[in-house]
Amino acid sequence: MTMLALTLLAPLLAAGAILALRRALGLLVLTGAGLGLIGAAGLFLGAAGGDPVTATLPFLPSFPVLLLASPLTATLSLMVATVAAMVLVYGIGYMAKDPERPRFFATMLFFIAAMQLLVLAGDWITLLAAWEMIGFSSYLLIGFWHSRAGVAEAATRAFLYTRSADLGLYIGAFVLIGAAGTSEISATLNTTGTPALIAGLLLLIAAMGKSAQVPLQDWLMRAMAGPTPVSALLHSATLVAAGAILLIRSAPMLPGGALLAIGLVGGATAVIAGLIALAERDLKRLLAASTASQYGLMLVAVGAGAPVAALLHLIAHAAIKSSLFLGAGIFQHDRDSTDLAALAGAGRARPGIFAGFAIAALALAGIPPLAGFYSKDAIIAAALQSPAAPWLLPLTLAGSLLTGAYMGRAMRALWSGPAPQSARSRIPLMAAGMMVLVLLAAGMGPGFATLEHLLDGALPEAAPIVPILGLVAGVSGLALGWLIAPARLLGPLMGPAQNGFRIAGGMDGLVARPARAIASACAAFEARLLAAQIGMIRGIGLGIARLVERSDAALYAFSLWIGRQNLHLGNRARWTDTNRIDAAIFGLVARVIAAGGRARRLQSGFIHRELALTFAGIALVTGVLLAAPYFL
Amino acid sequence: MSAQLIFLAFFGAAAVWFGVVVFRTHSMVRSAIALLFSQTAVGVMFLLMQAEFLGVLQIMMMATEMSVMAIFMVMFMMDPGGMGAMEMTHQKRLSLWAGGIGLVAALAVIWLADWGPAAMVIPAAAEQTADLGRELLGRSMFIFQSAGLTILTAMVAATMVAIAPETEHAP
Amino acid sequence: MIPELIIALSAGAAMFGVGLYGALSQTNLVMIIMGVELILAAALVNIVAFWRYLHPDEPAAQMFVLIVMAVMAVEMAVGFGIAIARFRSRGSVEMEEARELKG
């Protein structure tokens, strides 16, 4: 469990730390890669010991995330971790002067974590998710120098081409899940019959996309626009391996028809891609075409019914191709170009690097005792023994021949030419990373036997003719490549080969342009929808504003009316106060004054009046007194 | 119809008639004399009503008073003899009305009230006087004394008022 | 219904009316005093009539008459004293000219 966690989480956490801290990059990168490597080694040892490590994480209700470290997956994991570690070491040196290093290393580490997840996936859902993640990382890494001309477009195109093929994986995986009822890969491998055939063909389509098989090989050439460490890691050993890994893991399920198809596709790729490689003028593009060709050979092995052979070749190829790419990177570092014409004599300037390059090239051509010899012989043996031998064997041999040819050509181009006497820059890290991989490429061969035992896979019995055939093909190819120029070698095929064997407008016309047209149509439609929406909203808004304005005017008029009524009321009150109340009061006052005046007349001073009043008063009092008894 | 009744009626009418004459004549002296005769008639009525002491007192007092009044009349009147025949009244109508109302109200009371049985036994005159004397000096002593005091005060006051002060300029 | 009583009281009432008329209508002070004399005389007549025909045993009635007579005399004395004083200051005792108490 800890090993699993280490393998998966170490690179991921290192990526996060790099993005967050943006300092001590070398340390973080090496820590992440190193811990991942330790984890993978632990897994491999554990699986080799006999008990596969599994882990289950809850996810969807009936589709939990399964991680499986069986001998097969643990081997692959170890391969990924090793190549990744070495490439990262190389990368620290290669990207030393680039200002965007944190982004580079973080994305690389993220890719490594995603690749490990894909390799260790135990269920289809996880595998699908990891498949997507590595595709996305590839896009980010190919387009790393997106400010340069053409790079962003190359990354987009590569992404589009592989994506179009990924559909196969989706449908195939869902077919298998539906047939088996569970998403666990090992359970679905028991599917038989029509679902298996359909699933197999669909998986083949996915593998064709990811592993750059014909007719989808062009994206790999475009992917060379990225930094060389990216090419070394992704586009030689890991990402493109995903297709082959998919087929190797599902090999037990694949029925005969699917196998035949796989073998034919692989064989065709091996030849066509080899021709393209031979005609190439750019070293990295040459190596990219070579990669496609080698994966074609792996597919032939799977199609021939020997997935173990394909696995061996995959591992060997990983070490070989990555070291070739690292060497090309060093030469690129020297000459600032990967054009073969520009690189003339670059190998002479750095003999040590060229020696490593040559070793790896010879290994690829299948020269014993290098690793490529063993794996290539296994493939040839498988092709020989397969039911479709008449088809597969010639294709395999032609592929081996072409391998030698273009490798010879590359070596010749690097060696022949004036060696500049200027001082070379010191490249300790890059050299170290490359050399480890070269050593692996050279010395892995003998270990393949133990690996066979580990994987419980039966390699086909190697008839004595097999090594001879392989050797002949490899040596003759090398000689042809070294001695004869490609134009003369290829003859009438030179033109199409240089063109990349484009048919019917290629992927551009079949996939990219239609996709782009649909995208722009959708954008226009959406713009119109938006405009309509905005128009509607604007209409509603204006309507509401008008309504509000009218109601506001009404309210204002109403308030004015209230004001006038108030004023009216006020005037009435004032009028009432002045004319009624005041009048009443003043009237009362006047009357009281008048009454006072009248009362004053009583005080006339006249005695007779007083007497009269006296009499009146007496009469009144008398009357009251007399009448009182009757009323009280 | 007893003799008392007839005489009472006669002397009553005389008193009233003379009273009227007091105010109708222009001569002052004649007014005073008429009043004298009116008071005398009242005194005779007293005598008729067997109040001898009172009747005599009335006649005597009124004779003196009216004489004094006649003197004062002559002193203060502009035209004592009444030769000028000047109208010496004011608020005549009001006075008539007042007199009329008083008369009517009194008459109404007199004629409409039930006075009860007549008294038949009249004490003799000597007995009346003796009773009066006892009354005067017995129960009504306080009244008598205060009346005496009042009279004294009045006499002093009248004298004071009548005496001309030396400092004021004489008319 | 005692006819004598009625007659006497009626005479008194008539005298009262005449005296009231005189007291109110005369301009001269002395005449006014004469009017008052008549009123008082009427009262005397009433008192004696009541005594004679209703309560002959009551000497207090006669006492009342004495008091009234005394009052008559006093009133005349004081009245004439005032008249003298007035006559001295004004030269006449006409009530029309006595407006000093006007309010």
Side-chain angles (χ1 to χ4, degrees), chain B residues 50 73 77 90 119 136 162 171, chain C residues 25 28 52-53 63 88 96:
Chain B
Q50 293 162 296
M73 233 14 127
M77 288 290 170
H90 50 202
L136 194 69
Chain C
S25 72
N28 201 306
R52 165 62 180 82
Y53 293 107
M63 185 72 211
R88 273 214 195 93
E96 283 280 319

Side-chain angles (χ1 to χ4, degrees), chain A residues 7-8 11-16 80-81 83-85 87-88 103-119 130-142 210 219 229-242 245:
Chain A
T7 314
L8 288 169
L12 194 63
L13 291 172
V80 168
V83 176
V87 169
L88 280 173
R103 183 158 62 94
F104 175 75
F105 286 119
T107 321
M108 286 286 268
L109 285 165
F110 171 71
F111 166 79
I112 292 163
M115 189 68 204
Q116 293 283 27
L117 185 65
L118 182 131
V119 158
W131 195 272
E132 293 300 325
M133 279 193 261
I134 60 174
F136 177 59
S137 323
S138 158
Y139 169 72
L140 287 175
L141 287 165
I142 295 170
K210 261 297 187 291
W219 78 266
V230 171
S231 312
L233 182 58
L234 272 71
H235 304 120
S236 58
T238 45
L239 185 120
V240 292
I245 291 170

Side-chain angles (χ1 to χ4, degrees), chain A residues 605-607, chain B residues 76 161-165 168 171, chain C residues 27-29 78-101:
Chain A
F606 287 135
I607 304 294
Chain B
F76 296 139
V161 167
I163 292 174
E168 283 185 36
Chain C
T27 57
N28 201 306
L29 178 64
V78 174
F80 284 128
I82 293 172
I84 291 171
R86 182 132 185 111
F87 191 79
R88 273 214 195 93
S89 71
R90 291 296 162 91
S92 87
V93 286
E94 294 298 314
M95 289 300 105
E96 283 280 319
E97 299 153 19
R99 297 197 65 151
E100 286 82 354
L101 287 179

